[in-house]
Amino acid sequence: MYCSNCGNKIEEGAKFCPFCGASQNESEIKTTQINTSSVIGEVKNNIENGKKSGNLYKILGWVSTVISLFFFPIIFGAVTIIMGYLYRDYEEKHGNILIIAGVAFALTGFFLGYGTPVYY
């Protein structure tokens, strides 16, 4: 059971909250319980729906494309190419664009990092 005033967990049947002293009327008591299995199930369903529509591949592809300009361009460029290849099953033109962007941004990121002087 939780306090209706401060929200701290209190003993079942307590008349007053030991933390804030508020009176606990039975009609005002709010019991909050999170069912973790339903939350996990909902997250799994969202991921599966993203896979079914291909949006998961598209979003991960574009995010890794931008990241490849700044951090580990070869790795994130490869991730972009893979996501573009997987997204081609849903929309071929956009998948091809993602693959081309992955190669271009990976090379650009590589040369930006290679051309940056390092001062010791």
Side-chain angles (χ1 to χ4, degrees):
M1 172 167 119
Y2 296 91
C3 174
S4 60
N5 184 46
C6 67
N8 285 317
K9 189 170 185 173
I10 58 176
E11 291 182 23
E12 287 291 327
K15 302 269 186 210
F16 296 95
C17 175
F19 299 100
C20 68
S23 175
Q24 302 298 306
N25 295 332
E26 290 297 320
S27 61
E28 296 178 7
I29 295 176
K30 299 176 186 175
T31 304
T32 305
Q33 185 177 25
I34 298 174
N35 188 351
T36 56
S37 62
S38 67
V39 172
I40 292 172
E42 186 178 333
V43 169
K44 285 181 180 179
N45 286 338
N46 288 339
I47 290 172
E48 286 301 317
N49 290 339
K51 285 182 181 178
K52 288 178 186 172
S53 66
N55 286 336
L56 184 66
Y57 301 133
K58 180 171 60 173
I59 292 169
L60 286 176
W62 285 112
V63 167
S64 62
T65 300
V66 173
I67 292 174
S68 71
L69 280 175
F70 306 106
F71 305 106
F72 307 110
I74 303 302
I75 294 170
F76 284 106
V79 169
T80 302
I81 293 168
I82 292 168
M83 292 300 130
Y85 179 77
L86 293 173
Y87 189 65
R88 285 177 56 176
D89 293 339
Y90 303 97
E91 190 179 340
E92 187 173 0
K93 182 178 180 181
H94 196 130
N96 289 338
I97 291 170
L98 200 52
I99 291 170
I100 293 167
V103 171
F105 278 58
L107 289 173
T108 304
F110 176 76
F111 288 119
L112 282 175
Y114 186 72
T116 305
V118 178
Y119 299 103
Y120 293 103

